Amino acid sequence: MRPSSLANRTSSSANAQATLLKLAEKKKEFEAVAALETASNNYLDRINGLANDCDIMALAGEVHGQVSEQWPRMFHILNLFLASRETSQDQPNHPLKEGEMLVRIPIEDPDTNTAAISSR
């Protein structure tokens, strides 16, 4: 008579269940690692975007500094122009200096609805 194989079957089914439980556990670990990798990639993309924004702001700061550096020169030029304009007004019938010009601006007359030209 042969020994019963029932004990052998129960031990192999217990091994199969243990293996399936390990497989399910490993699957959960793999999904968690995949989710962590996806979150890390998203975080990296956001950090790279912030780095690009910081680079743009740094360049904008440099440009702002260059423009601010030019303001004293601009005011000096404007003061020179205003001073030359004041001296030319003191001398009547003085020909136009560089930087001065006559401008004709059409102005609509509200009474007649016609355009008049004003010289300045």
Side-chain angles (χ1 to χ4, degrees):
M1 199 160 160
R2 192 169 75 150
S4 171
S5 63
L6 182 61
N8 203 6
R9 275 192 218 157
T10 56
S11 69
S12 71
S13 69
N15 283 341
Q17 284 180 345
T19 304
L20 287 175
L21 286 174
K22 274 188 178 180
L23 179 64
E25 184 180 322
K26 294 296 179 183
K27 188 176 179 182
K28 284 181 185 178
E29 285 179 18
F30 177 78
E31 289 171 353
V33 169
L36 180 62
E37 183 179 6
T38 302
S40 297
N41 287 335
N42 290 339
Y43 184 71
L44 179 64
D45 291 341
R46 290 175 68 189
I47 293 296
N48 284 335
L50 287 172
N52 289 338
D53 290 345
C54 288
D55 290 341
I56 290 170
M57 288 191 314
L59 291 174
E62 287 179 20
V63 170
H64 179 73
Q66 291 170 353
V67 169
S68 295
E69 183 180 304
Q70 297 300 318
W71 277 107
R73 242 178 106 203
M74 187 64 190
F75 285 125
H76 177 68
I77 292 168
L78 286 173
N79 284 332
L80 289 175
F81 174 72
L82 292 175
S84 70
R85 197 165 148 200
E86 287 174 1
T87 58
S88 70
Q89 287 177 354
D90 293 341
Q91 301 170 0
N93 297 328
H94 191 275
L96 292 176
K97 288 189 168 189
E98 190 174 331
E100 293 181 353
M101 67 191 301
L102 290 176
V103 178
R104 292 181 176 243
I105 302 171
I107 301 173
E108 189 173 314
D109 190 6
D111 295 332
T112 62
N113 283 337
T114 59
I117 296 180
S118 171
S119 295
R120 188 168 226 199

